[in-house]
Amino acid sequence: MHLQGNIFVVTGGASGLGHQVVKSIVEQDGYAIIMDINATGANKAVQSLGSDKVYSSGSVDVTSEEQVQRAIKGGLSYFNSNNKDKESVPSLLLAGAVLCSGIVLSPQKIQGYGPDKHLTSYSQFKHVLSVNLLGTYNVAQQVAQTIIENNKPLDEDGERGIIITTSSMLGLDGTLVGYGTSKAGIAGMTLPLARELASFGIRVMSIAPGPFETPMKNVLPGANPPVSLFPKRHGYPHEFSDLVLQIITNPMLNGSVIRLDGGLRG
Ligand SMILES: NC(=O)c1ccc[n+]([C@@H]2O[C@H](COP(=O)([O-])OP(=O)(O)OC[C@H]3O[C@@H](n4cnc5c(N)ncnc54)[C@H](O)[C@@H]3O)[C@@H](O)[C@H]2O)c1
């Protein structure tokens, strides 16, 4: 799948890994619909990366079916009306989603994680699962539905779209009850969803990063999460987005979770 001329939803596009993904999509001449609860950050991204290639409908909570639906519809009609007068440009289609939104702490930010803290409460658990796992599925499902309704096969394989989710090393290695469980769920969803969407020409992949240099790293438990086995540092956001670009363009990547952690194990 090419990025050029295609539209991708990026959740969490206002910050960190998602923001870098939006940047890379624009550099490859693609279009991005940012869905982020942080409207100020999303608007800043639109201003800095260019409103011809990046769209935000304001604050979008990935757990809201209605807000996600509105953002998809708004983004599609925004980009297509922008390009209406260019005869050589065909109508722009939604070709996939890169799902990077996520939270670590509960909304109250009360203690609840780690051996010397209180147990993770049911409401904390439910909140983290709701944003990270259900929010990811909500957007994946609606993007897939839009692709199935609108897109003809884009190439000789019959490919029509791609869904890329963000799990975490902490989900695969069994760390943190709420966050880790939500990320294990995202990883576990990869193959069943790939199987469900295969007959529609939509691939599904997940990336499980170790610690990366983003604002979230500062709130992950432990002030200084361990560096990788090698190289001995945390990942840079462009190393995440480089993998996203490779997944989008390589049709044989499907149904798998890729660790991106420099050999670190939890
Ligand atoms: N940074 C790391 O070390 C690391 C490691 C492993 C996995 N991850 C995962 O990578 C993804 C990106 O994380 P990041 O490091 O860029 O963090 P970040 O905090 O910089 O970005 C997360 C973004 O998600 C948005 N968001 C939160 N709740 C939302 C909601 N309900 N609806 C819409 N948007 C919402 C935030 O506003 C923010 O812009 C997350 O899913 C995170 O769990 C990060």
Side-chain angles (χ1 to χ4, degrees):
M1 149 122 24
H2 299 294
L3 283 99
Q4 190 183 23
N6 281 323
I7 303 172
F8 296 86
V9 164
V10 183
T11 67
S15 172
L17 303 182
H19 183 70
Q20 183 62 43
V21 168
V22 175
K23 238 172 153 175
S24 297
I25 289 172
V26 170
E27 279 164 12
Q28 298 294 316
D29 225 5
Y31 298 80
I33 298 172
I34 293 180
M35 290 189 195
D36 201 299
I37 203 159
N38 174 1
T40 311
N43 289 337
K44 269 192 196 155
V46 172
Q47 277 159 20
S48 68
L49 299 174
S51 59
D52 55 329
K53 289 287 173 69
V54 185
Y55 169 83
S56 158
S57 59
S59 175
V60 178
D61 184 339
V62 293
T63 66
S64 161
E65 287 186 87
E66 190 261 322
Q67 288 178 27
V68 167
Q69 189 181 49
R70 193 157 11 101
I72 292 175
K73 280 195 175 145
L76 282 177
S77 74
Y78 174 80
F79 287 130
N80 281 296
S81 63
N82 264 358
N83 280 276
K84 205 163 50 188
D85 50 349
K86 299 179 192 165
E87 266 175 36
S88 58
V89 181
S91 64
L92 301 166
L93 293 171
L94 184 62
V98 186
L99 305 171
C100 301
S101 53
I103 54 165
V104 180
L105 293 174
S106 72
Q108 304 91 344
K109 293 203 163 94
I110 54 172
Q111 292 187 334
Y113 296 103
D116 56 343
K117 310 275 172 67
H118 304 294
L119 290 177
T120 302
S121 71
Y122 176 63
S123 67
Q124 286 177 307
F125 187 81
K126 200 160 92 171
H127 183 65
V128 174
L129 266 284
S130 166
V131 174
N132 291 358
L133 180 57
L134 301 185
T136 293
Y137 186 71
N138 180 29
V139 182
Q141 191 273 330
Q142 293 204 46
V143 167
Q145 187 67 42
T146 306
I147 290 171
I148 290 165
E149 283 167 12
N150 295 342
N151 297 16
K152 297 206 162 45
L154 300 168
D155 60 20
E156 66 278 8
D157 288 330
E159 184 163 43
R160 294 205 281 183
I162 172 112
I163 306 286
I164 302 173
T165 65
T166 310
S167 175
S168 168
M169 180 194 109
L170 300 180
L172 302 186
D173 293 349
T175 315
L176 287 180
V177 172
Y179 182 80
T181 306
S182 71
K183 294 296 180 176
I186 290 174
M189 185 168 78
T190 312
L191 189 54
L193 194 56
R195 287 189 162 130
E196 185 160 304
L197 296 177
S199 58
F200 304 104
I202 301 174
R203 291 183 289 126
V204 182
M205 285 290 292
S206 187
I207 302 174
F212 268 65
E213 298 288 351
T214 72
M216 182 179 280
K217 197 197 75 177
N218 302 325
V219 293
L220 279 166
N224 294 301
V227 295
S228 306
L229 200 59
F230 184 84
K232 294 217 173 293
R233 59 173 173 81
H234 297 146
Y236 298 125
H238 75 83
E239 292 165 329
F240 178 88
S241 66
D242 285 351
L243 180 56
V244 167
L245 296 186
Q246 173 60 206
I247 291 172
I248 292 173
T249 52
N250 189 329
M252 287 309 286
L253 287 169
N254 193 14
S256 289
V257 183
I258 300 179
R259 293 186 76 114
L260 189 65
D261 58 12
L264 184 65
R265 295 294 180 271

